[in-house]
Amino acid sequence: MRTLRALWSRFMGMFWPGSAESDLADEIESHVALHTDDGIRAGLSAEEARRRALIRLGGVEQTRQTYRERRGLPWLETLGQDVAYGFRVLRKSPGFALTTIFTLALGIGANTALFSIVNGVLLNPLPYPRSSELVTVHASKANFDQGSISYPNFRDWQRDNKTLAALAVAHQRRFTLTGVGDAERLQGDYVSSDFFPILGVKPVLGRLFAPGEDEIGRAPLIVIGAGFWARKLGSRQDVVGKTLTLDGRQFTIIGVLPGDFDLTVGNFEAGEVYVPIGQWQNTALNDRFAGLGLHGIARLRPGVTLEQAQADMNGVSDRLAAAFPQADHGVRAKLVSLRQSVVGRVQPLLLVLLGAVGFVLLIACVNVANLLLARSNARTQEFAIRWALGAGRGRIVRQLLTESTLLALAGGALGLLLAGWGTDAALKFAPLALPRDSQVHLSIPVLGFTLIVSLAVGILFGLLPAWKVAHQSVQDTLKEGGRGVSGTRHRKQDLLVVFEMALALVLLAGAGLTIRSMMVLSGVDPGFDAHGVTRFSLSAPPSMGSASAGAVRAYYREVDRRMKQVPGVQGVSIIGGSLPMTDNDDEALFWLENEPKPTNTNDMHWSLDYIAEPDYLKVMGIPLLRGRFFTEADNEHAPSVVVVDESFAHKFFGDEDPIGKRIHMDGNMATVIGVTGHVMQWGLDNDASSPLHVEMYLPFLQLGDSDLSLKDGLGMDVAIRSEVDSATTMKGIEHAMRQMNQEQVVYGADTMNQIIARTLAGRRFSMILLGLFAALALLLASIGMYGVISYLVGQRTQEIGIRMALGAARGNVLRWVLKRGCKLALLGVSVGLAAALALTQVMARSSMIYGVRAYDPWTFFGVTALLVTVALLACSIPAWRAMRIDPMQALRAE
Amino acid sequence: MGDKTDVWQGTLALMVLRTLETMGAMHGYGLARRIEQTSGDLLQLNYGTLYPALLKLEQEGYIHSHWGLSDNNRKAKFYELTKAGHQRVKKATAEWEQTTAILARFLTPAEEA
């Protein structure tokens, strides 16, 4: 307490030195006068008495100095002086200051940008109360580790578990809204009652679904999002109790969600409207085997760990498997932490990028350390003189550290600007690559990070020259006249250049491997021709929801006929089931004609299924290998047919001819009529490794009446091939559909190329960033090389002049300089290669590279050649300058 | 100068406080003389070191100062103990006594051993 009080008083003492100074002078004067009086009284002369008084005081100036030091905070005052001096020195060499600041700004800016991404995506807790208790719930079953849950299983899991505070499911769904302006398609979700309470979301108006209101057969209620509330209903307070017409049915609004609610996980995406799961008009809801794309979210009871909850759910699943072997054999609940579900996919990628950007900063630091080192060599005389005048070593070291910290802070401030701009650019350039990207911004932790990095960097690269100065001999320096020619100075700079060359090589190798991976991937044949293909959705008019199967079939044929008439359209197919390169996958279960009927569903064979119209192969450009594809004649009146892909044919029929084979499916026998090429369902990079690989095509018009019905949702997907550009074609399609019926909505159009690109968004994001960092590293490293060789040439001007005067050819000088640069570059490369071989293994483990080995010799050779070439180019400028040295001038300068 | 002792580090503050406690308000020169006298002229005080020590005590809030007139009508700065200063003297005295008592046990020749 006393210390604090004294500190405060000293701190304040710094600001009013004037009055305290005169006060002290008065006090000392009074002391001397009193002492002199005593002396006179003892019989001394006035002069002698005063002299003795001054001697006993110990010198007026010394007293003042110790007093002053006690009055203020000397170290703070020195710091102030150092800062002011630093500013003056830097202002005198603006070129040096600007180069340093800009180099650091690049390094710190890149780090800040990436840290703000890592902070927003990985470090910030999810915006829900006690978010560590939240888990996502899936059904693990044959072919699917995190498969979807059937509704009856969900209800039983919900009832039987002992470890979950609550369990809810959700299913993303689009609805057609009519009666409020033009008909429009809304993004929405089916949810069970506990969904929002689990997340701790409170309504801003009205209420949420009560327990039981989510069950089948209850009243149709709806909760709306704040965005929809504002957009369609003018944020009116009286909306609760009003009704909305979705897919032709009336739903009563009971509440409004807050505007900041935003979650994408599993099969849930925050939308505009939320409807209780029980309102889903899908007969399969009561089928214990049907997954239906339901995924769950749950909150663990307080104190329960994920492992305990998983063990409990395993028990629940096993009991259900025993009770319902037909449907639940091999089906188990699977819990994954919500954080893992949301960001687990990008975590390794971001960490690798963070490491890479750290390397860039290191290189920037090394460059600046080199500059400072060269500068401190030039300043040795300044330091020696200050030293001779009484400055302590500590004081000079502190001065150097102050200067480097000033530079680093200025670099950090500029870097912050670059980071703000760079983060925006990165996120805009690579949309969809990251979850939670709305959380990424320059927040307090990010600012703190930048400040700490800047300070650390300033001290780190300032220490090296400071250490050097501290170990210098004053006398030698003064004798030398400040011209340093000792070899050790160069050795230190050489080491730094070798180090940054090595770092740059590691980054180049990493970037090279991701670029090679993308090249390999862009050469991968997806099994179809994406060019010219557009996929979109169409929602039928609400009246079709209750139409008979015959009317629905007639409707589909009419849709087909009208779309085909749109100019440019070459083929149209309504599609159901799976859609390649998307999360839409659908599976059919079957057994072969010569096999006994499996006793339970899970023992059947699985295949991806594509429900398509006759044009489908033409639209997608999938090759037909044998037999034929569907025709208009393969309709509801004709015998069931199926077309399989080559993987299917190979797996189930081996070398036999698949044409004419028959399979049991849905209580029906279908005959194989054709074989197509394999299509990559799971993405260019994941298809080969996915467990479910076989594919079959089923004719759309042979779907059963209930599957065909539009009762449980009016939307359907359509794929078209067009010879004109997608945007023009889609205008034509929209026009044709509106003409057919005003209540039809066309939405969500994407070209197949966009869909494929989306599957590679994460890879592209890391490729671009790694490439950018590597380019930055290459630039900085070559600037470093340039600086060191220039410095060398500058220091050796006289020596070179003498050599030339003695007859050395200009070519020899050029070779001498280049050789020196080359030696450094090659040393750096060999160290870098060793490090890169170790680090690319990390990338391989986080599956950032595809189709190339972590030690791909071509990549390593290529980046080595690139680095050495650029390094030599950087040397060639000073080398050229060395060659042009005029011996006479160089000697005259002596 | 040989038989006079310099002031040990840290003891000056206690001497100042104790002197002010017994003598009341005093100016710097008077304090210095009084300390020398109290020590039986065994202590050789460098007067110049007294003022930073006084400043430190004032910053810590143990003493406060005001300008006044000395006995022979000279302008002088007088120092006086504050309430915290009085407490400090008590505490420091007790501590010092304990320290010297402990040291004395080490330094007096062992009789009973």
Side-chain angles (χ1 to χ4, degrees):
Chain A
M1 201 45 223
R2 292 285 155 193
T3 331
L4 263 186
R5 181 189 168 127
L7 208 62
W8 173 247
S9 144
R10 294 175 76 175
F11 183 73
M12 296 311 287
M14 281 170 50
F15 299 102
W16 293 277
S19 70
E21 194 74 5
S22 69
D23 199 53
L24 174 66
D26 288 351
E27 189 168 15
I28 289 175
E29 190 41 56
S30 121
H31 174 101
V32 172
L34 285 166
H35 199 165
T36 309
D37 287 352
D38 273 3
I40 293 172
R41 232 173 287 139
L44 294 171
S45 72
E47 222 166 286
E48 179 60 15
R50 187 171 169 81
R51 196 180 72 83
R52 289 196 181 184
L54 285 174
I55 291 171
R56 278 305 306 280
L57 185 65
V60 177
E61 237 358 274
Q62 280 89 327
T63 306
R64 278 196 182 157
Q65 185 54 35
T66 41
Y67 191 88
R68 260 183 228 126
E69 276 169 19
R70 176 65 214 179
R71 188 181 57 224
L73 291 168
W75 57 267
L76 201 59
E77 283 166 25
T78 333
L79 182 68
Q81 285 167 11
D82 282 350
V83 169
Y85 184 73
F87 265 120
R88 273 207 307 279
V89 167
L90 293 177
R91 225 183 17 226
K92 264 192 236 155
S93 41
F96 161 79
L98 285 181
T99 315
T100 312
I101 290 172
F102 197 69
T103 304
L104 287 175
L106 282 180
I108 295 176
N111 273 274
T112 303
L114 202 69
F115 180 76
S116 71
I117 290 176
V118 169
N119 182 54
V121 175
L122 295 185
L123 300 182
N124 272 353
L126 296 166
Y128 309 105
R130 288 171 288 125
S131 61
S132 60
E133 292 173 358
L134 294 172
V135 293
T136 58
V137 184
H138 314 269
S140 129
K141 50 191 169 187
N143 294 317
F144 297 97
D145 181 45
Q146 297 182 18
S148 58
I149 311 166
S150 73
Y151 182 76
N153 273 344
F154 155 60
R155 286 301 183 195
D156 289 343
W157 292 356
Q158 198 181 29
R159 188 193 59 223
D160 296 346
N161 82 79
K162 302 272 180 294
T163 48
L164 302 179
L167 166 66
V169 289
H171 175 84
Q172 206 180 123
R173 187 50 188 277
R174 284 172 188 271
F175 299 93
T176 299
L177 170 74
T178 48
V180 191
D182 283 340
E184 93 174 87
R185 205 62 182 162
L186 297 180
Q187 161 71 49
D189 296 272
Y190 285 122
V191 295
S192 64
S193 289
D194 289 332
F195 191 86
F196 297 117
I198 284 175
L199 293 170
V201 175
K202 303 263 187 314
V204 290
L205 188 71
R207 63 175 182 92
L208 298 171
F209 304 120
E213 285 182 342
D214 58 346
E215 283 163 14
I216 298 172
R218 300 292 295 261
L221 305 176
I222 189 167
V223 167
I224 60 178
F228 177 79
W229 184 39
R231 188 168 64 83
K232 292 299 269 192
L233 305 171
S235 297
R236 283 199 316 274
Q237 296 293 316
D238 60 353
V239 292
V240 172
K242 298 258 162 42
T243 59
L244 287 176
T245 309
L246 300 183
D247 293 356
R249 298 174 63 215
Q250 305 269 314
F251 289 84
T252 308
I253 299 175
I254 60 165
V256 180
L257 285 191
D260 60 1
F261 175 67
D262 176 24
L263 174 71
T264 303
V265 67
N267 195 10
F268 177 88
E269 189 182 337
E272 302 201 280
V273 293
Y274 306 92
V275 174
I277 182 80
Q279 295 302 315
W280 196 359
Q281 311 286 304
N282 188 332
T283 48
L285 212 53
N286 279 318
D287 179 351
R288 189 171 287 275
F289 184 72
L292 298 181
L294 295 182
H295 288 267
I297 186 163
R299 185 178 281 280
L300 304 178
R301 281 181 196 274
V304 171
T305 66
L306 186 67
E307 291 72 28
Q308 289 166 340
Q310 181 66 62
D312 173 38
M313 291 306 282
N314 286 348
V316 172
S317 306
D318 290 346
R319 285 193 288 282
L320 285 173
F324 306 98
Q326 265 282 337
D328 275 351
H329 175 74
V331 176
R332 270 191 165 185
K334 160 106 178 176
L335 308 186
V336 180
S337 79
L338 181 63
R339 187 181 175 283
Q340 176 70 19
S341 296
V342 174
V343 300
R345 187 173 53 84
V346 295
Q347 180 159 338
L349 178 147
L350 283 179
L351 293 182
V352 167
L353 287 176
L354 199 60
V357 83
F359 276 23
V360 173
L361 184 60
L362 260 184
I363 295 180
C365 281
V366 167
N367 258 3
V368 171
N370 241 337
L371 277 173
L372 280 179
L373 210 54
R375 207 173 127 77
S376 74
N377 284 343
R379 283 172 76 186
T380 39
Q381 205 160 19
E382 173 197 334
F383 294 136
I385 290 170
R386 288 186 67 189
W387 203 335
L389 290 177
R393 268 167 212 253
R395 184 71 200 270
I396 292 181
V397 166
R398 205 160 53 192
Q399 171 68 42
L400 278 171
L401 283 179
T402 309
E403 281 176 33
S404 63
T405 307
L406 273 182
L407 287 170
L409 286 177
L414 184 61
L416 211 53
L417 284 179
L418 290 180
W421 172 81
T423 315
D424 285 352
L427 293 180
K428 267 203 202 91
F429 209 62
L432 305 167
L434 294 174
R436 307 184 73 201
D437 55 5
S438 62
Q439 301 286 314
V440 174
H441 44 78
L442 294 179
S443 53
I444 299 292
V446 174
L447 293 178
F449 170 85
T450 311
L451 184 67
I452 288 169
V453 165
S454 304
L455 285 176
V457 155
I459 290 166
L460 188 75
F461 71 66
L463 269 181
L464 188 64
W467 179 82
K468 216 176 88 85
V469 164
H471 289 78
Q472 222 158 27
S473 138
V474 198
Q475 280 83 359
D476 291 352
T477 313
L478 287 176
K479 261 185 281 172
E480 267 178 31
R483 205 186 320 123
V485 276
S486 69
T488 51
R489 288 182 196 163
H490 300 310
R491 209 171 305 140
K492 215 164 285 151
Q493 286 171 323
D494 287 356
L495 273 180
L496 288 177
V497 169
V498 168
F499 180 55
E500 63 184 356
M501 284 283 147
L503 287 177
L505 188 92
V506 172
L507 280 185
L508 283 172
L513 286 176
T514 54
I515 292 171
R516 283 268 292 152
S517 303
M518 277 307 266
M519 281 162 63
V520 170
L521 281 170
S522 68
V524 168
D525 177 10
F528 59 93
D529 174 18
H531 187 74
V533 183
T534 305
R535 186 220 67 100
F536 59 89
S537 301
L538 171 72
S539 79
S543 58
M544 292 308 295
S546 50
S548 70
V552 171
R553 284 201 172 86
Y555 167 77
Y556 285 137
R557 289 194 172 104
E558 179 65 8
V559 165
D560 257 14
R561 192 183 66 79
R562 290 195 180 231
M563 285 191 187
K564 277 176 187 156
Q565 285 169 357
V566 172
V569 172
Q570 295 164 302
V572 174
S573 174
I574 295 173
I575 46 181
S578 312
L579 184 65
M581 304 278 170
T582 67
D583 291 335
N584 278 348
D585 63 85
D586 194 39
E587 290 75 31
L589 294 119
F590 64 94
W591 68 98
L592 304 178
E593 184 178 17
N594 53 6
E595 288 176 332
K597 185 182 180 189
T599 50
N600 70 57
T601 331
N602 272 297
D603 289 341
M604 292 197 211
H605 300 301
W606 291 63
S607 168
L608 285 163
D609 65 66
Y610 300 86
I611 301 158
E613 292 192 302
D615 266 1
Y616 186 73
L617 283 199
K618 188 164 97 190
V619 168
M620 295 290 282
I622 300 169
L624 180 68
L625 304 179
R626 307 182 76 150
R628 67 175 181 89
F629 201 65
F630 314 131
T631 65
E632 297 291 343
D634 295 311
N635 57 21
E636 64 274 25
H637 307 298
S640 295
V641 290
V642 59
V643 171
V644 300
D645 82 327
E646 50 189 328
S647 307
F648 188 108
H650 181 75
K651 179 168 180 188
F652 295 110
F653 306 122
D655 296 332
E656 294 174 48
D657 183 1
I659 309 292
K661 299 273 184 203
R662 297 202 291 179
I663 58 175
H664 294 274
M665 204 166 36
D666 278 342
N668 212 332
M669 278 276 249
T671 308
V672 177
I673 57 167
V675 180
T676 67
H678 177 72
V679 167
M680 291 199 166
Q681 167 68 28
W682 308 104
L684 295 175
D685 45 355
N686 289 329
D687 195 73
S689 58
S690 81
L692 188 58
H693 215 235
V694 299
E695 299 166 348
M696 65 161 74
Y697 296 87
L698 302 170
F700 191 76
L701 290 176
Q702 286 189 348
L703 280 182
D705 287 359
S706 69
D707 288 334
L708 209 58
S709 152
L710 287 168
K711 211 173 134 201
D712 89 44
L714 298 167
M716 69 196 87
D717 288 337
V718 186
I720 55 167
R721 172 172 289 279
S722 163
E723 56 190 355
V724 294
D725 70 286
S726 174
T728 314
T729 313
M730 287 315 298
K731 276 210 188 74
I733 296 272
E734 276 164 33
H735 181 71
M737 290 300 100
R738 249 197 325 274
Q739 269 197 331
M740 183 178 155
N741 187 319
Q742 282 292 339
E743 287 187 314
Q744 290 192 134
V745 187
V746 171
Y747 61 97
D750 281 311
T751 67
M752 209 62 214
N753 276 327
Q754 285 170 328
I755 293 173
I756 295 178
R758 214 170 289 156
T759 67
L760 300 176
R763 283 187 186 280
R764 185 167 308 107
F765 181 75
S766 56
M767 177 188 78
I768 290 172
L769 284 192
L770 262 185
L772 203 69
F773 297 158
L776 217 53
L778 186 64
L779 176 77
L780 291 174
S782 52
I783 290 176
M785 175 68 99
Y786 167 82
V788 165
I789 299 294
S790 294
Y791 181 72
L792 176 83
V793 169
Q795 293 277 303
R796 298 279 180 97
T797 304
Q798 285 169 14
E799 184 192 329
I800 295 169
I802 292 169
R803 283 183 187 214
M804 282 177 152
L806 291 177
R810 287 179 189 278
N812 283 344
V813 172
L814 182 75
R815 253 198 307 282
W816 173 71
V817 176
L818 284 184
K819 218 169 99 187
R820 184 147 182 133
C822 207
K823 204 177 95 188
L824 296 181
L826 287 179
L827 258 173
V829 162
S830 39
V831 176
L833 280 177
L837 282 174
L839 286 173
T840 50
Q841 295 293 335
V842 177
M843 289 176 69
R845 236 172 287 135
S846 59
S847 65
M848 284 177 78
I849 50 187
Y850 174 87
V852 288
R853 282 165 300 182
Y855 50 89
D856 180 50
W858 285 110
T859 307
F860 277 85
F861 176 76
V863 297
T864 305
L866 177 68
L867 183 62
V868 172
T869 313
V870 172
L872 283 184
L873 278 178
C875 295
S876 63
I877 303 169
W880 178 256
R881 214 181 295 136
M883 204 174 81
R884 309 277 297 176
I885 287 173
D886 178 353
M888 286 321 290
Q889 238 164 25
L891 290 175
R892 227 178 281 133
E894 176 73 333
Chain B
M1 208 190 253
D3 56 343
K4 294 205 175 178
T5 319
D6 281 341
V7 176
W8 303 299
Q9 279 285 315
T11 52
L12 180 61
L14 182 52
M15 294 179 201
V16 168
L17 290 176
R18 175 67 186 158
T19 309
L20 288 177
E21 191 189 30
T22 43
M23 305 292 293
M26 288 187 91
H27 51 67
Y29 174 67
L31 250 174
R33 291 307 301 264
R34 178 72 199 169
I35 288 174
E36 282 176 346
Q37 281 166 19
T38 312
S39 76
D41 278 333
L42 284 173
L43 275 180
Q44 171 86 14
L45 195 61
N46 183 350
Y47 295 167
T49 59
L50 181 66
Y51 290 95
L54 285 170
L55 177 64
K56 180 167 185 282
L57 287 172
E58 192 169 9
Q59 282 168 348
E60 287 168 343
Y62 294 131
I63 57 177
H64 66 82
S65 65
H66 58 90
W67 284 92
L69 283 179
S70 74
D71 300 340
N72 41 359
N73 265 342
R74 291 264 178 206
K75 209 169 134 258
K77 199 171 185 183
F78 283 79
Y79 294 88
E80 209 171 352
L81 275 192
T82 61
K83 215 170 140 196
H86 283 287
Q87 284 162 7
R88 176 74 201 152
V89 177
K90 275 198 200 84
K91 208 171 152 219
T93 310
E95 279 169 9
W96 181 252
E97 275 165 3
Q98 197 180 6
T99 311
T100 47
I102 292 171
L103 268 179
R105 282 169 192 250
F106 283 91
L107 299 178
T108 46
E111 283 155 11
E112 63 271 42

